[in-house]
Amino acid sequence: MSHKVNDLYNWFSQFNDRTVKIKSDNLNFEIVLNKRSLLHLIGVHYIFKNPKFLRGSDLIKEVINKGYDDKKIIGLIAKNNPHMVRSFKVRAKNLKPFLENLENARLVEMTKSNTKLKSNYLAMQSKDKDLLLLGLVRNDYEDYFETFIIENSDSYFKNTTINEPVKSITEILDDGTEVPFSFSEEKQKYYQLENNQTINKKKSFRDEMISWQEKANDSNKIDININKKDLDQGRDL
């Protein structure tokens, strides 16, 4: 039995509650990653006849906690929303590689008017003849990933006035420090190595400065002692 959905959920869970900043020239998103959004992104909610108001936590209880395999998930989607079977399969297959390559996406406006989606912007990548689109919601109090769409046309961002490459993705740590971030394990290891090297260089520079200061202090002490000795000899004359 295949459990690719479960594996994908477990992979995404490692990023839960981490805050990432996605920047282009004119756009800036701060997103708190939430494992409860994963199943919605790939369309698992279509296992239910009316998935509109279904919460991510409900999906986790139903699909993850009960150990549904991929065959059961596809069977339920085919039963309740048969037109979404292909969409689910394609989304489940492509979401992880899309996120692992997110730094190479472009940011565009969501321009489609006849949709119930709340996304204001889309992160876009192309694969073969398809366009992979990650919906980004920005409102007054939060930014978040809403949906993941696979299309073969520009209908969701036609006539966009913004089309910018992602310039950087960083993680915002608890102390407010920003460090490079990637969903790719290989890239993240490289960033961590680079960050450690930077920290070590700063530490080495700091140690050199401390050593120099200590030597300078010792030199001042010698000068003071010599001057004191000269003064004492002058008093003896």
Side-chain angles (χ1 to χ4, degrees):
M1 290 185 296
S2 174
H3 289 83
K4 292 182 179 179
V5 169
N6 206 307
D7 292 342
L8 183 60
Y9 171 80
N10 290 333
W11 169 79
F12 192 74
S13 293
Q14 69 181 300
F15 307 112
N16 191 52
D17 289 334
R18 294 167 71 172
T19 302
V20 297
K21 180 186 286 187
I22 303 170
K23 293 182 66 176
S24 67
D25 284 336
N26 295 292
L27 295 174
N28 184 347
F29 300 90
E30 288 190 16
I31 296 171
V32 179
L33 301 174
N34 189 334
K35 65 181 181 181
R36 294 189 299 275
S37 68
L38 187 279
L39 300 182
H40 269 289
L41 289 177
I42 60 175
V44 175
H45 51 296
Y46 290 111
I47 62 173
F48 293 99
K49 191 73 175 177
N50 184 10
K52 186 176 180 180
F53 300 108
L54 198 65
R55 296 180 302 178
S57 56
D58 295 328
L59 275 177
I60 292 171
K61 290 177 183 177
E62 183 66 26
V63 175
I64 303 300
N65 294 353
K66 291 184 180 180
Y68 283 13
D69 60 25
D70 299 336
K71 184 177 180 180
K72 180 161 186 172
I73 294 171
I74 293 170
L76 288 171
I77 295 175
K79 176 183 176 181
N80 293 313
N81 292 283
H83 61 292
M84 296 304 298
V85 170
R86 181 184 178 278
S87 173
F88 161 74
K89 289 181 177 180
V90 176
R91 289 155 77 174
K93 178 182 178 181
N94 286 284
L95 180 63
K96 183 180 178 183
F98 179 94
L99 291 175
E100 289 179 329
N101 198 40
L102 186 59
E103 57 268 27
N104 293 317
R106 300 187 70 87
L107 301 181
V108 296
E109 292 173 297
M110 162 73 90
T111 59
K112 192 170 186 176
S113 58
N114 58 333
T115 177
K116 295 179 181 179
L117 294 175
K118 299 177 183 177
S119 298
N120 320 90
Y121 299 92
L122 301 163
M124 174 187 65
Q125 295 177 30
S126 61
K127 180 182 178 182
D128 300 326
K129 295 181 180 180
D130 289 327
L131 294 171
L132 285 60
L133 308 170
L134 180 66
L136 303 170
V137 174
R138 166 180 285 173
N139 54 38
D140 293 337
Y141 53 92
E142 66 176 341
D143 303 333
Y144 62 91
F145 297 152
E146 180 191 19
T147 189
F148 184 53
I149 307 165
I150 313 294
E151 284 288 310
N152 56 14
S153 73
D154 63 354
S155 62
Y156 279 88
F157 59 94
K158 191 172 184 178
N159 298 322
T160 178
T161 60
I162 295 177
N163 189 336
E164 302 176 349
V166 171
K167 284 294 184 68
S168 67
I169 304 177
T170 56
E171 179 179 2
I172 304 175
L173 305 180
D174 291 339
D175 63 359
T177 303
E178 292 186 32
V179 295
F181 172 85
S182 176
F183 287 98
S184 163
E185 182 179 1
E186 183 179 349
K187 294 172 187 174
Q188 191 61 26
K189 285 181 179 178
Y190 171 78
Y191 291 150
Q192 289 173 346
L193 177 62
E194 193 176 52
N195 188 49
N196 289 338
Q197 289 175 343
T198 301
I199 291 172
N200 289 336
K201 286 180 181 178
K202 289 181 178 178
K203 183 178 183 301
S204 177
F205 176 75
R206 185 172 64 250
D207 291 344
E208 288 179 7
M209 290 300 294
I210 292 173
S211 176
W212 178 86
Q213 186 64 53
E214 288 174 345
K215 289 179 181 178
N217 290 340
D218 289 341
S219 177
N220 288 337
K221 288 178 182 178
I222 292 172
D223 290 342
I224 291 171
N225 288 335
I226 290 174
N227 291 335
K228 184 176 183 299
K229 184 177 179 181
D230 290 343
L231 287 172
D232 291 341
Q233 288 177 347
R235 291 192 187 99
D236 293 337
L237 293 177

